[in-house]
Amino acid sequence: MKVLLKSATVIDKQSAYHKQIKDILIENNQFVKIADTIDCPNDCTEVSVENLHVSNGWFDTSVSFGEPGYEERETIEHGLNVAAKSGFTDVALNSNTQPYLDTKAAVSFVKMQGMNNATKLHPIASLTQGSKGIEMAELYDMKSAGSIAFGDYNKPVSNDNLMKVSLQYAQNFDGLVLSYPHNKAIAGEGVANEGHNSTRLGLKGIPSLAEELQISRDLFLLEYTGGKLHIPTISTAKSVALIRDAKAKGLKISCSASVHHLTLTDDELSGFNGNVKVQPPLRTQADVDALVAGVKDGTIDCITSDHNPIDIENKKVEFNNAEYGTVGLESLFGQLNKILDLEVIVEAITAKPRAIFGLNNLEIAEGKEASISIFIPTEKSEVTEETILSTSKNSIFLGKQAIGKALGVFTNNQLILN
């Protein structure tokens, strides 16, 4: 396949063409020519859009699709198509399925379901059997089947020794362990951030301490065991400070924050809208400011959509009974682009997460593999159900303004445009 991108601004700090406007010719999944002007050869597909931008392929480190078990929410095939049209060349699939991705066969199944799509699927297998937090799963077998990391999605491992042993065992094959930062005993039956808004609205609160206590435990364990630990979707100012200090000590610790925790506060609770019920809960403006600062100074390595489709029957109910989760693949870029510089966004969804999760490095240069995201950073729009491409429409951003639009991707020798 031949594709010519006309007058595209390159955003890639590793590339000699960074911040330059170039024509880019791709053939057989490779950059064959990058120059000021290129004529479209025979059988060439030309992409020419005002203010066109390209970067290395975006990678989302926390995505749920439902299949197997919850196909009515999102199938793998449809979810990967949504991801491609949202600008993502790679996604890490959570073990948020039924059955869980806790065996070699389960990991192999989702890998097979994801084959031949433009966007590549990388499974995150369960750390424990059935994601129950009782016994460690067969980590090495699942890595051999294609798993890139191990973690029980949105479920904490409360057993301290089990987390210690997992960190020790994974070092035998350079495995990456994920630990969801949530202390169930402290959180209790809370459904929203403990603070002014939860008190005012009569909602049971989840204190910041529930997250911070778990992170403190994990950092002590990591210091003792060594190994690599990734903490997904942190949400509080103190969490940022704890991880910043741990990095200063030289620990192999990384973390992510979701787009909704970087852009929204618990003021959204006022309407009792089930779509704003997420885990961890939306926090305060002080927390949002600390998270944004953490992205800017490199404490927070990755930004994720934490895409989690939930069917309407489990969302359009009383707030206390609604399931946690929001879709976010389609909205990530347009929301982040309102608060962060373009280079910061691209770094947090390309080079940094790829290095942490062991994906191959990419560079926009002649002779290199072409795996790129295509976008317009200036286009303004509103998030509506019509702009949500996912099967489930449970977006926390419905009604919000967006600045910037993902046009699609070229990857795996396929051009997918929205």
Side-chain angles (χ1 to χ4, degrees), residues 70 72-74 275 308-316 323 391-394:
Y70 304 107
E72 72 279 4
R73 298 179 178 181
E74 193 89 83
N275 285 341
N308 188 5
I310 305 293
D311 50 281
I312 192 170
E313 289 83 1
N314 287 296
K315 268 298 186 181
K316 204 169 184 179
E323 288 198 23
T391 303
S392 298
K393 307 298 180 183
N394 57 301

Side-chain angles (χ1 to χ4, degrees), residues 146-167:
S147 173
I148 60 168
F150 310 96
D152 296 339
Y153 178 68
N154 277 8
K155 293 181 175 66
V157 175
S158 300
N159 185 318
D160 304 332
N161 190 59
L162 179 57
M163 179 54 68
K164 175 180 75 72
V165 172
S166 298
L167 284 166

Side-chain angles (χ1 to χ4, degrees), residues 59 61 148 174 176 228 254 301-302 347 349-362:
F59 171 36
T61 60
I148 60 168
D174 197 32
L176 177 64
K228 297 189 299 185
S254 59
D301 305 275
C302 317
E347 188 78 3
I349 56 177
T350 57
K352 281 191 170 185
R354 295 185 77 88
I356 290 165
F357 285 82
L359 275 62
N360 61 310
N361 187 39
L362 297 172

Side-chain angles (χ1 to χ4, degrees), residues 1-5 23-34 38 362-372 410-414:
M1 184 178 190
K2 299 177 185 177
V3 173
L4 178 64
L5 302 166
D23 284 5
I24 302 172
L25 180 61
I26 301 170
E27 187 174 346
N28 295 327
N29 216 36
Q30 191 175 74
F31 297 111
V32 294
K33 188 175 183 181
I34 302 175
I38 302 173
L362 297 172
E363 181 186 354
I364 298 176
E366 291 181 1
K368 297 287 188 178
E369 174 192 356
S371 183
I372 57 172
F410 181 93
T411 185
N412 201 22
N413 207 31
Q414 298 179 55

Side-chain angles (χ1 to χ4, degrees), residues 55-120:
S55 74
N56 287 320
W58 300 349
F59 171 36
D60 194 327
T61 60
S62 179
V63 168
S64 302
F65 287 144
E67 186 181 2
Y70 304 107
E71 287 83 356
E72 72 279 4
R73 298 179 178 181
E74 193 89 83
T75 64
I76 287 174
E77 182 179 8
H78 190 270
L80 290 175
N81 187 49
V82 171
K85 291 181 177 179
S86 302
F88 292 91
T89 61
D90 299 83
V91 296
L93 182 69
N94 293 311
S95 182
N96 189 24
T97 56
Q98 194 57 247
Y100 291 100
L101 307 182
D102 62 349
T103 65
K104 182 177 181 178
V107 171
S108 297
F109 171 78
V110 296
K111 285 283 288 185
M112 186 174 297
Q113 292 297 98
M115 287 179 63
N116 301 319
N117 289 277
T119 297
K120 302 177 186 69

Side-chain angles (χ1 to χ4, degrees), residues 127-138:
L127 181 65
T128 65
Q129 295 178 25
S131 287
K132 294 178 179 179
I134 299 173
E135 296 183 67
M136 188 170 63
E138 295 290 345

